[in-house]
Amino acid sequence: MDVFSYMIKEVVCCICGGLPLFLLRATLTVGVDKMKTVVMKFGGTSVATPEKIIGVAKRAILEKEKGNRVVIVVSAMGKTTDTLVALANEISTEPPKREMDMLLATGEQVTISLLAMAFKALGHEALSFTGWQAGIETESVPRNARIEQIHTERLERVLENGFFCVVAGFQGVDKVGNITTLGRGGSDTTAVALAAALNADKCEIYTDVDGVYTADPRYVNGARKLEQISYDEMLELANLGAGVLHPRAVEFAKNNNVPLSVRASYSDEPGTIIQEVITVEKNLIVRGVAFERGIARVTASYEKPFNGSLAKIFMKLAEHHIDVDIIVQSISEEIPPSVSFSIKEESLEETKRVLESYRDEIGFVNLNYEVGLAKVSIVGSGMVSNPGVAARMFDILRLQDIPVKMVSTSEIKVSVVVPESDMEKSASALHDAYGLSY
Ligand code: ADP
Ligand code: ASP
Ligand code: MG
């Protein structure tokens, strides 16, 4: 603690009776501990009822009583976002994305107002803020916008005045004033991005599980809670379907060194710390297993090699903001060329439309689709120096009679696409075989 700081403001030298006399004009400042800033984020289940919202307020009050400035980011109550999506689908099979953002952003707005009321009822001052009121500026990509910058002046002022700031997760505003949303699960990203912008001392994600596990404990028996995990491993797990954290939240935390933890909203257990360097609990090659259902495979085939077609397919899909995951191209003298790639099933209709509308330009003769697939991945930084990890994975799946449809590898992960009906079986088999189960 910086208790006393002694600041020399000026040094005046005068000559007095032939002797130089230094007069020091100094200020003695008694330092106080700089107040810490804490960002706490509560997900849908944790704010599902009025009682839970009051519980969140009480928890945040305890944090403030430690002498901290507290920002709370909340999701929509319970399954509100799903209900809103279903409502829109009753009106239209393909509702305009801009209007979906407008609709979905209302979910979080209900929670912020109720939480601010809860603070008031408990005798504390709080103000609620929508994304744009909190200064969260995003790119103009409806339903999946990235946060570009946060103008924190207003929040800073409110915090300085001793108020709680209650911010709606999952939403922002683009440069022309449209409300945008950050992709499902995006409230985590609001929290971490705010923590980075406010230079917060910690960002805590409170949820319905007490930490990050070696696999989703709802599906894999024997999944273990991790005390710590590195940003890189967490980023891979999140990107590969471990829904406990939004991938962009981890990206923000890594790029800005935000001290991040995932913990239970129903207990005081410490949770999992996500940070740069970790002390490895066990010398395991694989740290976790992730999986994601709802994958589709698209295959474009050609009569003969068509130079430039590959670039054209993926440029057109990128222009329409369609995320492509695994890409496999096979070109040989003997068989007609083809390219296969995987996407989320929900993007399939749009993908078909885009590719069909550029059929001549892209030059394929056939487009085939396969749905009902899932991606199962093993993740661990220990893989870099361990050859044969993929081979072992294929063998484990072979022993379970699980067909592998596509494969993709990086230094710290191996992913396979398998039938969705085999997803849980694959995940459990890999979790056991790599020694992750307790
Ligand atoms: P919130 O609404 O609080 O954001 P989410 O449903 O988005 O909560 O995330 C928590 C859920 O993430 C857990 O209930 C759990 O089923 C799931 N999950 C997936 N992978 C993991 C994992 N590796 N560790 C812990 N939870 C996981
Ligand atoms: N309410 C949004 C969703 O359900 C955002 C979030 O909860 O993080 O996806
Ligand atoms: Mg979530």
Side-chain angles (χ1 to χ4, degrees), residues 113-170:
S113 50
L114 293 176
L115 181 55
M117 289 176 203
F119 279 116
K120 192 77 186 163
L122 292 165
H124 288 259
E125 295 296 346
L127 280 182
S128 63
F129 298 92
T130 62
W132 75 264
Q133 287 175 324
I136 299 175
E137 201 177 294
T138 73
E139 58 182 359
S140 292
V141 177
R143 299 213 62 184
N144 198 23
R146 280 176 186 274
I147 294 178
E148 285 185 332
Q149 55 176 323
I150 306 188
H151 307 276
T152 54
E153 303 78 11
R154 186 155 180 211
L155 292 190
E156 288 280 7
R157 265 200 318 275
V158 172
L159 288 170
E160 275 318 297
N161 286 331
F163 283 53
F164 287 97
C165 283
V166 183
V167 181
F170 175 57

Coordinates of all heavy atoms in Angstrom, one line a residue, residues 113-170:
S113 N -33.3 -3.5 -15.0 CA -34.2 -2.6 -14.2 C -34.6 -3.3 -12.9 O -34.5 -2.6 -11.9 CB -35.4 -2.2 -15.1 OG -36.0 -3.3 -15.6
L114 N -34.9 -4.6 -13.0 CA -35.3 -5.2 -11.7 C -34.1 -5.3 -10.7 O -34.3 -5.1 -9.5 CB -35.8 -6.7 -12.1 CG -37.1 -6.8 -12.9 CD1 -37.4 -8.2 -13.2 CD2 -38.2 -6.1 -12.1
L115 N -32.9 -5.5 -11.3 CA -31.8 -5.6 -10.3 C -31.5 -4.2 -9.7 O -31.2 -4.1 -8.5 CB -30.5 -6.1 -11.1 CG -29.3 -6.3 -10.2 CD1 -29.5 -7.1 -9.0 CD2 -28.1 -6.9 -11.0
A116 N -31.6 -3.1 -10.5 CA -31.4 -1.8 -9.9 C -32.5 -1.5 -8.9 O -32.2 -0.9 -7.8 CB -31.5 -0.7 -11.0
M117 N -33.7 -2.0 -9.1 CA -34.8 -1.8 -8.1 C -34.4 -2.6 -6.8 O -34.7 -2.1 -5.7 CB -36.1 -2.3 -8.7 CG -36.7 -1.5 -9.7 SD -38.2 -2.3 -10.3 CE -38.4 -1.6 -11.9
A118 N -33.9 -3.8 -7.0 CA -33.5 -4.6 -5.9 C -32.5 -3.9 -5.0 O -32.6 -3.9 -3.8 CB -33.0 -6.0 -6.3
F119 N -31.5 -3.3 -5.6 CA -30.5 -2.5 -4.9 C -31.2 -1.4 -4.0 O -30.9 -1.2 -2.9 CB -29.4 -1.9 -5.8 CG -28.4 -2.9 -6.2 CD1 -28.2 -3.2 -7.5 CD2 -27.5 -3.4 -5.3 CE1 -27.3 -4.1 -7.9 CE2 -26.5 -4.3 -5.7 CZ -26.4 -4.7 -7.0
K120 N -32.1 -0.7 -4.7 CA -32.7 0.4 -4.0 C -33.5 -0.1 -2.8 O -33.5 0.4 -1.7 CB -33.7 1.1 -5.1 CG -34.2 2.4 -4.6 CD -33.2 3.5 -4.7 CE -33.8 4.8 -4.1 NZ -32.7 5.8 -3.8
A121 N -34.2 -1.3 -3.0 CA -35.0 -1.8 -2.0 C -34.2 -2.3 -0.8 O -34.6 -2.3 0.4 CB -35.8 -3.0 -2.5
L122 N -32.9 -2.6 -1.1 CA -32.0 -3.0 0.0 C -31.2 -1.8 0.6 O -30.2 -2.0 1.3 CB -31.0 -4.1 -0.5 CG -31.6 -5.4 -0.9 CD1 -30.7 -6.3 -1.8 CD2 -32.0 -6.2 0.4
G123 N -31.6 -0.6 0.1 CA -31.0 0.6 0.7 C -29.7 1.1 0.0 O -28.9 1.8 0.6
H124 N -29.5 0.6 -1.2 CA -28.3 1.0 -1.9 C -28.6 1.7 -3.2 O -29.7 1.5 -3.8 CB -27.4 -0.2 -2.3 CG -26.8 -0.8 -1.0 ND1 -25.5 -0.6 -0.7 CD2 -27.3 -1.5 0.0 CE1 -25.2 -1.2 0.4 NE2 -26.3 -1.8 0.9
E125 N -27.7 2.6 -3.7 CA -27.9 3.3 -4.9 C -27.4 2.6 -6.1 O -26.2 2.0 -6.0 CB -27.2 4.7 -4.8 CG -27.8 5.6 -3.8 CD -29.2 6.1 -4.0 OE1 -29.7 5.8 -5.2 OE2 -29.8 6.6 -3.1
A126 N -28.1 2.5 -7.1 CA -27.7 1.8 -8.3 C -28.4 2.4 -9.6 O -29.5 3.0 -9.4 CB -28.1 0.3 -8.3
L127 N -27.7 2.3 -10.7 CA -28.3 2.8 -12.0 C -28.2 1.7 -13.0 O -27.1 1.0 -13.1 CB -27.6 4.0 -12.5 CG -28.0 5.4 -11.8 CD1 -27.3 6.5 -12.5 CD2 -29.5 5.6 -11.9
S128 N -29.2 1.5 -13.8 CA -29.1 0.4 -14.8 C -28.8 1.1 -16.2 O -29.1 2.3 -16.4 CB -30.5 -0.3 -14.9 OG -31.5 0.6 -15.3
F129 N -28.1 0.4 -17.0 CA -27.7 0.9 -18.3 C -27.9 -0.2 -19.4 O -27.4 -1.3 -19.3 CB -26.2 1.2 -18.3 CG -25.8 2.3 -17.3 CD1 -25.4 2.0 -16.0 CD2 -25.9 3.6 -17.7 CE1 -25.1 3.0 -15.1 CE2 -25.6 4.6 -16.8 CZ -25.2 4.3 -15.5
T130 N -28.5 0.2 -20.5 CA -28.5 -0.7 -21.7 C -27.1 -0.6 -22.3 O -26.3 0.2 -21.8 CB -29.5 -0.1 -22.7 OG1 -29.0 1.2 -23.2 CG2 -30.9 0.0 -22.2
G131 N -26.9 -1.4 -23.3 CA -25.5 -1.5 -23.9 C -25.1 -0.1 -24.4 O -24.0 0.4 -24.1
W132 N -26.0 0.6 -25.1 CA -25.6 1.9 -25.7 C -25.4 2.9 -24.6 O -24.5 3.8 -24.6 CB -26.5 2.4 -26.8 CG -27.9 2.9 -26.4 CD1 -29.0 2.2 -26.5 CD2 -28.2 4.2 -26.0 NE1 -30.1 3.0 -26.1 CE2 -29.6 4.2 -25.8 CE3 -27.5 5.4 -25.9 CZ2 -30.3 5.4 -25.4 CZ3 -28.2 6.5 -25.4 CH2 -29.6 6.5 -25.2
Q133 N -26.2 2.9 -23.5 CA -26.1 3.8 -22.4 C -24.7 3.6 -21.7 O -24.2 4.5 -21.2 CB -27.2 3.7 -21.4 CG -28.5 4.2 -21.9 CD -29.7 4.0 -20.9 OE1 -29.7 2.9 -20.3 NE2 -30.6 4.9 -20.8
A134 N -24.3 2.3 -21.8 CA -23.0 2.0 -21.1 C -21.8 2.3 -22.1 O -20.7 2.1 -21.7 CB -23.0 0.6 -20.7
G135 N -22.1 2.8 -23.2 CA -21.1 3.2 -24.2 C -20.5 2.1 -25.0 O -19.3 2.2 -25.4
I136 N -21.2 1.0 -25.1 CA -20.6 -0.2 -25.8 C -20.9 -0.1 -27.3 O -22.0 -0.3 -27.8 CB -21.2 -1.5 -25.2 CG1 -20.9 -1.6 -23.7 CG2 -20.7 -2.7 -26.0 CD1 -21.5 -2.7 -23.0
E137 N -19.8 0.2 -28.0 CA -20.0 0.4 -29.5 C -19.5 -0.9 -30.2 O -18.4 -1.4 -29.9 CB -19.1 1.6 -29.9 CG -19.5 2.2 -31.2 CD -18.6 3.4 -31.5 OE1 -18.7 4.4 -30.7 OE2 -17.8 3.3 -32.4
T138 N -20.3 -1.3 -31.1 CA -19.9 -2.6 -31.8 C -19.9 -2.3 -33.3 O -20.3 -1.3 -33.8 CB -21.0 -3.7 -31.6 OG1 -22.2 -3.3 -32.4 CG2 -21.4 -3.8 -30.2
E139 N -19.3 -3.4 -34.0 CA -19.4 -3.3 -35.5 C -20.9 -3.6 -35.9 O -21.7 -4.0 -35.1 CB -18.5 -4.4 -36.1 CG -18.9 -5.8 -35.6 CD -18.0 -6.9 -36.1 OE1 -17.1 -6.7 -36.9 OE2 -18.3 -8.1 -35.7
S140 N -21.2 -3.3 -37.2 CA -22.5 -3.4 -37.7 C -22.8 -4.8 -38.2 O -23.2 -5.0 -39.4 CB -22.8 -2.4 -38.8 OG -22.7 -1.1 -38.3
V141 N -22.7 -5.8 -37.4 CA -23.0 -7.2 -37.8 C -24.1 -7.7 -36.9 O -23.9 -8.1 -35.7 CB -21.8 -8.1 -37.7 CG1 -22.1 -9.5 -38.0 CG2 -20.6 -7.6 -38.5
P142 N -25.4 -7.6 -37.4 CA -26.5 -8.0 -36.5 C -26.3 -9.5 -36.0 O -25.8 -10.3 -36.7 CB -27.7 -7.9 -37.4 CG -27.2 -7.7 -38.8 CD -25.8 -7.2 -38.7
R143 N -26.7 -9.7 -34.8 CA -26.8 -11.0 -34.1 C -25.4 -11.6 -33.7 O -25.4 -12.6 -33.0 CB -27.6 -12.0 -34.9 CG -29.0 -11.6 -35.1 CD -30.0 -12.8 -35.2 NE -30.0 -13.5 -33.9 CZ -30.7 -14.6 -33.8 NH1 -31.4 -15.1 -34.7 NH2 -30.7 -15.2 -32.6
N144 N -24.4 -11.0 -34.2 CA -23.1 -11.5 -33.9 C -22.0 -10.5 -33.9 O -20.9 -10.7 -34.4 CB -22.7 -12.7 -34.9 CG -21.7 -13.6 -34.3 OD1 -21.4 -13.7 -33.1 ND2 -20.9 -14.2 -35.2
A145 N -22.3 -9.3 -33.4 CA -21.4 -8.1 -33.5 C -20.2 -8.3 -32.5 O -20.4 -8.8 -31.4 CB -22.2 -6.9 -33.2
R146 N -19.1 -7.7 -32.9 CA -18.0 -7.6 -32.0 C -17.9 -6.3 -31.4 O -18.2 -5.3 -32.0 CB -16.6 -7.8 -32.8 CG -16.3 -9.1 -33.1 CD -15.0 -9.2 -34.0 NE -14.8 -10.5 -34.5 CZ -14.1 -11.4 -33.7 NH1 -13.6 -11.1 -32.6 NH2 -14.0 -12.6 -34.2
I147 N -17.5 -6.2 -30.1 CA -17.4 -4.9 -29.5 C -16.1 -4.2 -30.0 O -15.1 -4.8 -30.1 CB -17.2 -5.1 -27.9 CG1 -18.5 -5.7 -27.4 CG2 -16.9 -3.8 -27.2 CD1 -18.5 -6.0 -25.9
E148 N -16.3 -3.0 -30.5 CA -15.1 -2.3 -31.0 C -14.5 -1.4 -30.0 O -13.3 -1.3 -29.9 CB -15.6 -1.5 -32.3 CG -15.7 -2.5 -33.4 CD -16.0 -1.8 -34.8 OE1 -16.6 -0.8 -34.8 OE2 -15.7 -2.5 -35.8
Q149 N -15.3 -0.6 -29.3 CA -14.8 0.2 -28.2 C -15.9 0.5 -27.2 O -17.0 0.4 -27.4 CB -14.2 1.5 -28.7 CG -15.1 2.3 -29.5 CD -14.4 3.6 -29.9 OE1 -13.7 4.2 -29.1 NE2 -14.7 4.1 -31.1
I150 N -15.4 0.8 -26.0 CA -16.4 1.2 -24.9 C -16.0 2.6 -24.4 O -14.9 2.8 -24.0 CB -16.3 0.1 -23.8 CG1 -16.5 -1.3 -24.3 CG2 -17.4 0.5 -22.7 CD1 -16.7 -2.4 -23.3
H151 N -17.0 3.4 -24.4 CA -16.8 4.8 -23.9 C -17.3 4.7 -22.4 O -18.4 4.7 -22.1 CB -17.7 5.8 -24.6 CG -17.5 5.7 -26.1 ND1 -16.4 6.4 -26.7 CD2 -18.1 5.0 -27.1 CE1 -16.4 6.1 -28.0 NE2 -17.4 5.3 -28.3
T152 N -16.3 4.7 -21.5 CA -16.6 4.4 -20.1 C -16.9 5.6 -19.2 O -17.2 5.4 -18.1 CB -15.4 3.7 -19.5 OG1 -14.2 4.5 -19.6 CG2 -15.2 2.3 -20.1
E153 N -16.8 6.8 -19.8 CA -16.9 8.0 -19.0 C -18.2 8.0 -18.1 O -18.0 8.3 -16.9 CB -17.0 9.3 -19.9 CG -15.8 9.5 -20.8 CD -15.9 8.7 -22.1 OE1 -17.0 8.1 -22.3 OE2 -14.9 8.6 -22.9
R154 N -19.3 7.6 -18.6 CA -20.5 7.7 -17.8 C -20.5 6.7 -16.7 O -20.8 7.0 -15.5 CB -21.7 7.4 -18.7 CG -23.0 7.6 -18.0 CD -24.2 8.0 -18.9 NE -25.4 8.1 -18.1 CZ -26.6 7.9 -18.5 NH1 -26.8 7.4 -19.7 NH2 -27.6 8.1 -17.7
L155 N -20.0 5.5 -17.0 CA -19.9 4.5 -15.9 C -18.9 4.9 -14.8 O -19.2 4.8 -13.7 CB -19.5 3.1 -16.5 CG -20.5 2.3 -17.4 CD1 -20.0 0.9 -17.6 CD2 -21.9 2.3 -16.8
E156 N -17.8 5.4 -15.3 CA -16.8 5.9 -14.4 C -17.4 6.9 -13.4 O -17.1 6.9 -12.2 CB -15.6 6.6 -15.1 CG -14.7 5.6 -15.9 CD -13.7 4.9 -15.0 OE1 -13.8 5.0 -13.7 OE2 -12.9 4.1 -15.5
R157 N -18.1 7.9 -13.9 CA -18.7 8.9 -13.1 C -19.7 8.3 -12.1 O -19.7 8.7 -10.9 CB -19.5 9.9 -14.0 CG -18.7 11.1 -14.4 CD -19.6 12.3 -14.9 NE -20.8 11.9 -15.7 CZ -20.7 11.8 -17.0 NH1 -19.6 11.9 -17.7 NH2 -21.8 11.5 -17.7
V158 N -20.5 7.4 -12.5 CA -21.5 6.8 -11.6 C -20.8 6.0 -10.6 O -21.2 6.0 -9.4 CB -22.5 6.0 -12.5 CG1 -23.4 5.2 -11.6 CG2 -23.3 6.9 -13.4
L159 N -19.8 5.3 -10.9 CA -19.0 4.5 -9.9 C -18.3 5.4 -8.9 O -18.4 5.1 -7.7 CB -18.0 3.6 -10.6 CG -18.5 2.4 -11.4 CD1 -17.3 1.8 -12.2 CD2 -19.1 1.4 -10.5
E160 N -17.8 6.5 -9.4 CA -17.1 7.5 -8.5 C -18.1 8.0 -7.5 O -17.7 8.3 -6.4 CB -16.5 8.7 -9.3 CG -15.1 8.4 -9.9 CD -14.2 7.7 -8.9 OE1 -13.9 8.3 -7.8 OE2 -13.8 6.5 -9.1
N161 N -19.4 8.1 -7.9 CA -20.4 8.6 -7.0 C -20.9 7.5 -6.0 O -21.8 7.8 -5.3 CB -21.6 9.2 -7.7 CG -21.2 10.6 -8.3 OD1 -20.3 11.3 -7.8 ND2 -21.8 10.9 -9.4
G162 N -20.3 6.4 -6.1 CA -20.6 5.3 -5.1 C -21.8 4.5 -5.5 O -22.3 3.7 -4.6
F163 N -22.2 4.6 -6.7 CA -23.4 3.7 -7.1 C -22.9 2.4 -7.7 O -21.8 2.3 -8.2 CB -24.1 4.4 -8.3 CG -25.0 5.6 -7.9 CD1 -24.5 6.6 -7.1 CD2 -26.3 5.6 -8.3 CE1 -25.3 7.7 -6.8 CE2 -27.2 6.7 -8.0 CZ -26.7 7.7 -7.2
F164 N -23.8 1.4 -7.6 CA -23.6 0.2 -8.4 C -24.0 0.5 -9.9 O -25.0 1.2 -10.1 CB -24.6 -0.9 -7.9 CG -24.2 -1.5 -6.6 CD1 -24.8 -1.1 -5.4 CD2 -23.2 -2.5 -6.5 CE1 -24.5 -1.6 -4.2 CE2 -22.9 -3.1 -5.3 CZ -23.5 -2.6 -4.2
C165 N -23.2 0.0 -10.8 CA -23.6 0.1 -12.2 C -24.2 -1.3 -12.7 O -23.5 -2.3 -12.5 CB -22.4 0.4 -13.1 SG -21.9 2.1 -13.0
V166 N -25.4 -1.3 -13.2 CA -26.0 -2.5 -13.6 C -26.1 -2.5 -15.1 O -26.8 -1.6 -15.7 CB -27.4 -2.7 -13.0 CG1 -27.9 -4.1 -13.4 CG2 -27.3 -2.6 -11.5
V167 N -25.3 -3.3 -15.8 CA -25.2 -3.2 -17.3 C -25.9 -4.4 -18.0 O -25.6 -5.5 -17.6 CB -23.8 -3.0 -17.7 CG1 -23.7 -2.9 -19.3 CG2 -23.1 -1.9 -17.1
A168 N -26.7 -4.1 -19.0 CA -27.3 -5.2 -19.8 C -26.2 -5.9 -20.6 O -25.5 -5.3 -21.4 CB -28.3 -4.6 -20.8
G169 N -26.1 -7.2 -20.4 CA -25.1 -8.0 -21.2 C -25.6 -8.2 -22.7 O -26.8 -7.8 -23.0
F170 N -24.7 -8.7 -23.5 CA -25.2 -9.2 -24.8 C -25.6 -8.1 -25.9 O -26.0 -8.5 -26.9 CB -26.3 -10.2 -24.5 CG -27.0 -10.8 -25.7 CD1 -26.4 -11.6 -26.6 CD2 -28.4 -10.7 -25.8 CE1 -27.1 -12.2 -27.6 CE2 -29.1 -11.4 -26.8 CZ -28.5 -12.1 -27.7

